[in-house]
Amino acid sequence: MNYREALLLFCLNQINGQRTINGLYHLLQGKKSSQTIQDGKLFGVSFLFGTCKHINRKEFLETVTRLHNERFIIKKSEDTFLVSEPGVKIMEGILRKYPFPDHLDGWAYQSRADLFWKRLSLYVQSLSHLLKGDSNFLPVNREDNIQYWIKKNFPMEQNEREAWANNLYNEILSLLNDLTENESTLFTYRLSGFHRVGLTINQAAGRIGVDSDFANLLFKGILHYIMKRLQENEQKYPFLSVFVKDLEVLLPLTDSARKTFSMLGKNRTIKEIAGYRRLKESTIEDHIVEIAMNVPEFTIDSFVAPFEQEEILEISKQLRTKRLKPIKTALEDRLSYFQIRLVLVKEG
Amino acid sequence: MNLQRLLQKHFGFSTFRKGQQEIINDVVQGKNVLAMLPTGTGKSICYQLPGYILPGIILVVSPLLSLMEDQVQQLKSNGEKRALALNSFLSLSERKTALSNLAQYKYIYVSPEILQHPIIQKKLRDAGVSLFVIDEAHCISQWGHEFRTDYLKLSGVREILGNPPCLALTATATEAVRKDILSQLQLDDAESHIYGIDRSNIAIKVEEHQSVEEKVTALLDYSSKLKGPGIVYFSSRVWAERMAALIEEQKVGRVAFYHAGMEMEDRLLIQKQFINDEIDLICSTNAFGMGINKPNVRYVIHFHFPGTIEAYLQEIGRAGRDGAESLAVLLYTKEDYQLPAMLMQQEVPEDKQVSGVLDYLFSMGGNQLTPEAEKSMIQAVGLSEVAWGFLAFHLGKRGVIMEDNFIKPFDLKSTFASLKGIIEERTRVKLNRLYEMNRWLEREGCRRQNYLGHFDQCLEETPEHCCDYCGITLSKYEKRDELNRTRLQEKFLWKKELTRLFHQSEEVGIEE
Ligand SMILES: [Zn+2]
């Protein structure tokens, strides 16, 4: 059994016949309908959201058919399936050997990870060539918006370019140092430069001796990991952060909430933001709720301590309600409506 | 003006290749020109150089998206930034920006389809087109009649653009096709520049095998012996991937596959690796090659052969562009002939589908065919978009589908008969071209002489290494030093690699 089959078995097992294979396909493709998003969360497969765009519908259906022919899955209705006992067993065996990467979080990062990688790979290639005085190279990416972004952000002077190379090198090295040898090798293989063209996922998978569908998840996981680290600690990675800063515009936020989001990123408090923007504090709190709802990687820990979050969820569960007032009363007014709302929307 | 100086200044060549100067002379004098030059001999210079003389835009109609992008990227790499590929893959906002600044560009590449948009026609007319180029003009004849019917509307577009001079370029066109090109483009007065299409430095070998297994063995043998870089052509993605894996197992060189099902990023990486000699062998569908400028390809193998002699010559023409001795090998079994024939039948709409469409349109007589109705009709009848495009074009020509998609009441019986006649004619033409290919494979005599005869040209001088009929020495194309076969891969250390990518001194990154 190949990795792709194991991956589909895993998903089908999570969904457990409650959604169609078409819904699963949309999830792997990263199609953003609210149904797919809810499904992803509901069945614990949201980390795979949009991570397998390379699998087209025909290949997807062929894999399903193969699994069905070999009785690893059983038809429940026309387009829903249950995983058989042997199916579960063989899938678990493969996933034990090749577990999903820890950092993989498609729902949080994948839509931006693609752009991040396109920018980074073209930027690194351009730096590597131009530092050697070679300007006649064929770029690894031809998309106008990517080339335009590079042009806008590329230093003109040689000494600036050297500085960028040094700093990007150091930041990437420090990030890769915390990953496994296989992951760092995979990532480096994929970059193109003056002395060598980068490898495709498929080629790099061959070099490190893993299945290419597994290498794909491993690679996406590395991108998600880097983006997460950049988000957590922008100051530590000022050069790499340039590549993701403006990607926030892709988040589904109102303009006003986006402004609040970007100020929060600069470690401003609610009071400061309200004062600066001449808005009411409650408005800023509304923004933060909107952000918590729409930006999966946004952490609310600085507004509600983790143990308080647990407490709110516990009470909500006991009282079987998501209504704010009874929860607040049960908490004896120790926490605000804002904090309770925040925890509840975050939980979905 | 001095053409030679422009050539040196903008393209870095000191002399013209055969035919270029004559063609350019006619082009800059405002004549209409039909030019046939062998593949890989710098056709694009024939319109790129006039761009530095003529005042307005050089508009290039190109059949393939990838070809357009390759050309634009090459111009940009050469320092010419005023190049643009206008295609349907640009986002709406990108297209808007480009369109509002059209006059800034010197070289604009378009697909025949996008050229049909009235807005684009208007913007181009306002910006001023100095030369209307049709690259790979044989596509007009090859594809225009079947699925890319917009090719047949080019002469109308040219008129709207104010009838700029036209340059039709091709590498492989029989006399009949050349006549068809001229008549479709309404270029009765064109100067023809027809050059010998033979590539004397490519030796040709055709091998018949009794079974697919035998062909596989032969391919594995060739790929281990022949000196690369090389390209092997397959009819499908599955074959390309499967054989790439088999060849890889032999560990005789660096091999990769390439097909249109791959993501753009991967395709660009493979192309670049091949151009940079980081891959020795590409297993590919016919999606690979057009627009790739690699001078030192040493062999092309056909594991499946294409449907026409023209396509075959284009594909082997990717070898030996540097002029050095190269080899083309074609492997076939008797059964191989069935496959392209079958594919062709599938592309053509069936009687049942044609009458289904006509019944539907008949019932709509006098009304407008809305896009939704069109879509549901195509689905109900089970027609491919390509086949529908074909039918719609000919129904338009007959006046059944009028402007704004209004349906004119029509006679069912005679319309059906006429469509059927057109379909049969096209199928006949296509099958005929396949027969010709097949006949060439099985025919006695010098391979080179035989294909030149197809183009109404003669072999002036038999090259020393001509074909399997005249005799060739295979060992000439084999790898010489055994060292090459077992090239040791340098161990890949990611930290070291990172220092090389960013040109850091080695000590910094390595802590071993
Ligand atoms: Zn011969």
Side-chain angles (χ1 to χ4, degrees):
Chain A
M1 170 168 292
N2 62 31
Y3 196 79
R4 181 175 299 184
E5 290 165 340
L7 174 69
L8 286 200
L9 279 182
F10 170 81
C11 295
L12 290 170
N13 197 38
Q14 293 293 108
I15 291 171
N16 199 26
Q18 294 179 58
R19 289 290 183 276
T20 65
I21 47 167
N22 197 39
L24 173 59
Y25 178 72
H26 285 315
L27 186 125
L28 294 175
Q29 289 287 312
K31 232 185 180 169
K32 272 195 177 157
S33 74
S34 56
Q35 189 59 36
T36 7
I37 290 166
Q38 282 171 16
D39 284 359
K41 289 197 154 175
L42 201 57
F43 298 108
V45 285
S46 65
F47 67 99
L48 291 167
F49 185 80
T51 54
C52 297
K53 285 202 188 92
H54 64 290
I55 303 178
N56 64 35
R57 188 181 286 275
K58 190 165 160 264
E59 293 169 332
F60 176 83
L61 292 176
E62 279 167 2
T63 310
V64 171
T65 309
R66 233 176 10 250
L67 289 171
H68 187 238
N69 289 343
E70 290 174 33
R71 318 242 163 153
F72 291 128
I73 54 177
I74 302 149
K75 220 177 201 140
K76 193 183 157 207
S77 75
E78 181 51 33
D79 46 9
T80 57
F81 292 88
L82 293 170
V83 181
S84 69
E85 224 169 282
V88 172
K89 213 165 166 195
I90 192 163
M91 174 262 289
E92 284 178 346
I94 289 174
L95 293 185
R96 210 172 298 128
K97 204 164 165 211
Y98 299 103
F100 294 123
D102 291 342
H103 319 290
L104 192 67
D105 193 349
W107 158 235
Y109 298 107
Q110 189 48 41
S111 61
R112 286 170 293 153
D114 270 346
L115 276 170
F116 169 62
W117 169 249
K118 285 175 180 173
R119 287 174 174 183
L120 182 68
S121 55
L122 182 58
Y123 200 100
V124 170
Q125 184 201 21
S126 306
L127 261 184
S128 187
H129 279 271
L130 288 170
L131 281 177
K132 286 281 178 188
D134 174 23
S135 55
N136 280 1
F137 59 93
L138 292 174
V140 288
N141 189 296
R142 290 171 170 178
E143 291 165 47
D144 281 348
N145 61 335
I146 303 292
Q147 295 198 349
Y148 176 74
W149 187 90
I150 303 289
K151 222 179 273 168
K152 224 176 56 191
N153 290 280
F154 205 79
M156 291 305 293
E157 304 296 329
Q158 181 75 3
N159 58 346
E160 272 181 279
R161 289 176 183 174
E162 279 167 14
W164 266 88
N166 294 342
N167 286 299
L168 276 181
Y169 167 77
N170 284 323
E171 290 181 12
I172 292 175
L173 182 67
S174 116
L175 285 165
L176 293 188
N177 263 329
D178 290 344
L179 293 173
T180 65
E181 195 65 15
N182 250 1
E183 285 171 319
S184 311
T185 305
L186 173 65
F187 186 81
T188 318
Y189 260 135
R190 297 229 54 219
L191 286 168
S192 296
F194 178 73
H195 69 291
R196 183 182 61 85
V197 181
L199 300 187
T200 66
I201 293 263
N202 181 59
Q203 290 175 314
R207 298 287 172 86
I208 61 174
V210 299
D211 185 297
S212 71
D213 281 308
F214 177 66
N216 168 60
L217 291 186
L218 212 51
F219 180 68
K220 302 269 155 76
I222 300 166
L223 295 180
H224 300 170
Y225 152 81
I226 294 177
M227 295 179 73
K228 185 156 183 250
R229 293 281 294 266
L230 297 181
Q231 205 130 30
E232 287 164 358
N233 202 342
E234 196 185 310
Q235 285 88 346
K236 195 173 169 200
Y237 308 101
F239 285 81
L240 275 175
S241 292
V242 172
F243 291 82
V244 291
K245 256 182 202 157
D246 60 325
L247 293 182
E248 280 160 16
V249 295
L250 292 174
L251 299 171
L253 294 177
T254 58
D255 283 345
S256 192
R258 185 167 294 139
K259 274 187 199 133
T260 299
F261 185 56
S262 108
M263 294 180 82
L264 283 170
K266 290 168 190 141
N267 280 326
R268 301 277 163 78
T269 64
I270 296 179
K271 212 182 178 117
E272 284 168 352
I273 298 172
Y276 183 80
R277 297 190 59 194
R278 294 163 191 244
L279 293 169
K280 279 193 278 190
E281 280 184 37
S282 64
T283 308
I284 304 300
E285 289 179 352
D286 286 342
H287 289 164
I288 295 173
V289 172
E290 187 186 335
I291 295 164
M293 204 155 27
N294 290 299
V295 184
E297 68 273 24
F298 178 72
T299 159
I300 58 170
D301 293 358
S302 58
F303 306 104
V304 200
F307 73 90
E308 290 168 339
Q309 294 177 28
E310 275 170 39
E311 206 179 344
I312 291 171
L313 292 175
E314 187 56 34
I315 289 173
S316 158
K317 212 166 129 194
Q318 276 172 15
L319 300 180
R320 290 184 195 178
T321 183
K322 299 217 164 188
R323 284 169 50 227
L324 305 180
K325 193 155 172 94
I327 299 178
K328 191 161 186 281
T329 313
L331 283 161
E332 293 162 342
D333 289 336
R334 273 183 289 115
L335 298 171
S336 69
Y337 280 125
F338 166 61
Q339 288 172 308
I340 300 167
R341 254 168 89 204
L342 208 48
V343 174
L344 293 181
V345 298
K346 192 74 196 166
E347 195 55 22
Chain B
M1 85 222 88
N2 185 332
L3 295 183
Q4 209 106 20
R5 219 164 43 218
L6 286 173
L7 181 71
Q8 178 73 50
K9 183 176 166 205
H10 294 287
F11 303 94
F13 300 121
S14 52
T15 53
F16 283 103
R17 296 230 196 139
K18 193 167 80 176
Q20 285 175 339
Q21 192 161 11
E22 293 81 354
I23 293 165
I24 292 171
N25 261 325
D26 277 353
V27 165
V28 297
Q29 284 175 40
K31 293 182 186 165
N32 292 324
V33 177
L34 169 70
M36 181 159 105
L37 288 168
T39 46
T41 52
K43 277 186 295 162
S44 48
I45 295 227
C46 296
Y47 61 82
Q48 286 173 355
L49 191 142
Y52 295 102
I53 298 169
L54 300 171
I57 290 168
I58 310 290
L59 182 69
V60 187
V61 183
S62 182
L64 284 183
L65 179 68
S66 60
L67 194 61
M68 283 184 229
E69 290 184 334
D70 286 329
Q71 301 268 17
V72 168
Q73 212 52 254
Q74 269 162 26
L75 278 167
K76 284 185 176 168
S77 297
N78 269 340
E80 176 54 77
K81 306 290 179 202
R82 299 169 300 165
L84 172 73
L86 254 186
N87 55 57
S88 46
F89 288 90
L90 291 179
S91 72
L92 201 64
S93 69
E94 284 172 326
R95 224 188 295 175
K96 263 191 188 148
T97 328
L99 277 178
S100 56
N101 300 307
L102 221 46
Q104 284 180 13
Y105 295 99
K106 188 77 206 177
Y107 302 96
I108 299 179
Y109 289 80
V110 290
S111 63
E113 286 78 15
I114 205 153
L115 207 46
Q116 304 304 322
H117 289 275
I119 306 166
I120 290 182
Q121 293 173 355
K122 184 179 174 305
K123 293 276 185 190
L124 281 168
R125 191 190 58 207
D126 293 348
V129 174
S130 278
L131 183 63
F132 190 78
V133 183
I134 294 149
D135 202 7
E136 313 289 345
H138 53 273
C139 293
I140 292 180
S141 190
Q142 190 174 327
W143 291 345
H145 298 287
E146 295 150 29
F147 57 97
R148 297 192 66 179
T149 44
D150 286 333
Y151 256 114
L152 303 185
K153 300 177 190 158
L154 288 179
S155 74
V157 177
R158 185 174 152 235
E159 215 175 289
I160 293 169
L161 297 180
N163 260 324
C166 181
L167 167 63
L169 284 166
T170 178
T172 43
T174 60
E175 207 172 326
V177 170
R178 295 200 296 266
K179 274 198 185 130
D180 193 28
I181 294 173
L182 291 176
S183 94
Q184 293 298 341
L185 293 173
Q186 301 182 8
L187 296 176
D188 319 318
D189 57 342
E191 297 285 334
S192 285
H193 291 267
I194 310 300
Y195 291 90
I197 54 159
D198 189 33
R199 297 275 309 279
S200 57
N201 62 322
I202 304 173
I204 295 166
K205 190 168 195 306
V206 177
E207 271 181 35
E208 189 187 332
H209 289 275
Q210 297 314 312
S211 66
V212 184
E213 292 73 28
E214 231 182 86
K215 265 196 345 182
V216 170
T217 314
L219 176 60
L220 290 177
D221 190 45
Y222 274 121
S223 60
S224 66
K225 282 188 187 145
L226 291 180
K227 183 175 180 310
I231 307 173
V232 187
Y233 282 110
F234 300 88
S235 61
S236 72
R237 300 166 185 186
V238 177
W239 268 107
E241 288 196 18
R242 193 190 300 161
M243 288 311 296
L246 274 183
I247 294 171
E248 176 121 54
E249 275 174 24
Q250 297 191 104
K251 303 227 179 297
V252 289
R254 299 157 299 177
V255 57
F257 60 82
Y258 183 101
H259 53 69
M262 289 161 58
E263 289 177 79
M264 196 56 189
E265 182 189 12
D266 289 356
R267 280 197 267 169
L268 285 176
L269 289 176
I270 300 287
Q271 279 184 21
K272 240 179 92 72
Q273 290 171 8
F274 190 61
I275 289 168
N276 286 11
D277 291 328
E278 292 172 25
I279 290 177
D280 306 308
L281 174 55
I282 292 244
C283 292
S284 164
T285 61
N286 62 7
F288 184 81
M290 268 227 202
I292 288 176
N293 257 328
K294 182 172 175 64
N296 66 335
V297 174
R298 290 280 71 88
Y299 67 89
V300 170
I301 297 176
H302 280 89
F303 190 82
H304 298 116
F305 58 83
T308 68
I309 297 185
E310 285 82 351
Y312 172 71
L313 288 186
Q314 289 218 329
E315 285 166 11
I316 68 167
R318 283 160 199 153
R321 294 196 173 181
D322 55 5
E325 294 291 342
S326 310
L327 178 68
V329 181
L330 189 152
L331 310 170
Y332 79 104
T333 69
K334 284 269 190 295
E335 286 77 45
D336 284 356
Y337 172 67
Q338 317 277 345
L339 185 73
M342 219 172 63
L343 287 175
M344 270 175 208
Q345 304 286 7
Q346 281 173 3
E347 284 170 15
V348 172
E350 295 167 28
D351 283 5
K352 209 171 61 207
Q353 295 171 318
V354 176
S355 58
V357 166
L358 287 183
D359 286 344
Y360 187 86
L361 293 180
F362 188 76
S363 69
M364 298 216 18
N367 291 311
Q368 198 182 16
L369 181 65
T370 61
E372 299 79 49
E374 186 178 333
K375 213 170 161 190
S376 69
M377 174 188 74
I378 299 172
Q379 269 176 0
V381 181
L383 211 56
S384 72
E385 235 168 274
V386 170
W388 166 239
F390 173 82
L391 288 180
F393 174 74
H394 286 286
L395 286 168
K397 229 174 162 183
R398 272 184 74 89
V400 171
I401 299 179
M402 300 186 294
E403 231 171 284
D404 295 328
N405 271 353
F406 272 96
I407 307 298
K408 196 172 101 183
F410 60 95
D411 180 52
L412 257 181
K413 216 168 154 193
S414 68
T415 310
F416 179 81
S418 138
L419 282 183
K420 199 165 148 57
I422 295 168
I423 291 168
E424 277 168 3
E425 169 63 14
R426 284 314 301 162
T427 317
R428 201 184 55 74
V429 169
K430 285 179 84 174
L431 281 176
N432 212 2
R433 303 183 74 179
L434 180 62
Y435 288 137
E436 276 168 353
M437 179 73 207
N438 205 51
R439 215 177 306 135
W440 177 76
L441 290 177
E442 310 232 305
R443 198 164 150 193
E444 294 279 303
C446 168
R447 307 277 180 196
R448 201 173 291 276
Q449 210 155 26
N450 288 345
Y451 74 59
L452 282 174
H454 176 76
F455 293 96
D456 307 299
Q457 298 189 343
C458 315
L459 185 59
E460 276 156 23
E461 195 187 343
T462 305
E464 191 192 339
H465 305 278
C466 180
C467 65
D468 50 331
Y469 190 85
C470 302
I472 43 176
T473 328
L474 266 185
S475 59
K476 193 177 155 48
Y477 305 94
E478 291 175 357
K479 296 174 193 167
R480 287 222 195 85
D481 50 1
E482 290 297 305
L483 275 179
N484 248 348
R485 300 185 61 172
T486 50
R487 190 199 318 256
L488 276 174
Q489 288 256 324
E490 192 191 336
K491 182 140 172 49
F492 186 91
L493 301 164
W494 70 267
K495 282 185 189 173
K496 194 169 168 192
E497 188 65 15
L498 217 50
T499 62
R500 288 172 84 184
L501 274 169
F502 291 99
H503 309 299
Q504 305 291 302
S505 56
E506 299 268 326
E507 313 88 71
V508 186
I510 301 293
E511 37 194 79
E512 283 174 294

